[in-house]
């Protein structure tokens, strides 16, 4: 069974950067689409970025992070990254990575419709504050 573990969160000041990692174990990550979700206190969980399976040819971002966040994958390391630049206080949340087995599609999705993302990590806290 695929297991995911996030790391890289922390406390930073506005304008600073963090790189989150999502390391998979148990199975190769190649055939999984990966998405990053976040949940801020008192708010619903939202999908913020995703990357297609295999070569990761397609990436998608929610408008609020476009131009600031970059998702990438290194299948040799069984890892997906989320580079977060120009962080804002509104980015404060627990960040989760999730995996959806789908080696056939070049698309990925920010919505966990019908529970498509079957595998989730435990989350890593990001706090952006002065």
């Amino acid at each position: 069974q695929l297991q995911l573990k996030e790391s890289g969160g922390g406390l930073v000041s506005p304008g600073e950067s963090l790189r989150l990692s999502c390391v998979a174990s148990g199975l190769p990550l190649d055939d999984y689409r990966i998405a990053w979700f976040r949940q801020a206190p008192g708010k619903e969980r939202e999908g913020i970025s995703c990357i297609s399976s295999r070569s990761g040819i397609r990436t998608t971002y929610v408008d609020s992070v476009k131009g600031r966040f970059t998702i990438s994958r290194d299948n040799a390391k069984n890892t997906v990254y989320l580079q977060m630049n120009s962080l804002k206080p509104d980015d404060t949340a627990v960040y989760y990575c999730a995996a959806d087995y789908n080696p056939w599609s070049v698309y990925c999705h920010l919505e966990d419709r019908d529970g498509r993302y079957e595998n989730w990590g435990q989350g890593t806290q990001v706090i952006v504050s002065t």
Side-chain angles (χ1 to χ4, degrees):
Q1 185 175 353
L2 186 72
Q3 295 181 321
L4 303 174
K5 182 174 178 59
E6 305 92 339
S7 63
L11 171 63
V12 296
S13 299
E16 294 188 335
S17 299
L18 283 174
R19 187 177 79 158
L20 305 184
S21 298
C22 172
V23 179
S25 61
L27 290 170
L29 201 57
D30 307 47
D31 291 337
Y32 288 83
R33 299 187 286 199
I34 305 297
W36 284 95
F37 292 80
R38 68 184 181 186
Q39 187 164 21
K43 295 187 177 180
E44 291 188 356
R45 186 179 64 195
E46 66 168 339
I48 59 170
S49 182
C50 65
I51 189 167
S52 56
S53 59
R54 301 290 178 89
S55 64
I57 194 171
R58 184 175 293 270
T59 58
T60 302
Y61 300 91
V62 70
D63 285 347
S64 60
V65 308
K66 279 181 183 176
R68 300 188 299 123
F69 291 10
T70 303
I71 190 171
S72 61
R73 65 189 301 154
D74 185 340
N75 292 332
K77 295 183 177 180
N78 241 24
T79 301
V80 172
Y81 303 99
L82 185 68
Q83 178 67 42
M84 306 189 298
N85 298 330
S86 303
L87 282 161
K88 305 175 181 180
D90 283 349
D91 296 318
T92 294
V94 178
Y95 285 71
Y96 302 89
C97 62
D100 163 33
Y101 179 79
N102 191 320
W104 311 280
S105 174
V106 298
Y107 297 99
C108 64
H109 304 278
L110 296 181
E111 305 82 22
D112 186 26
R113 190 169 298 169
D114 298 324
R116 62 164 53 102
Y117 288 101
E118 298 179 331
N119 303 277
W120 291 78
Q122 297 290 327
T124 185
Q125 176 76 58
V126 172
I127 300 174
V128 185
S129 175
T130 56

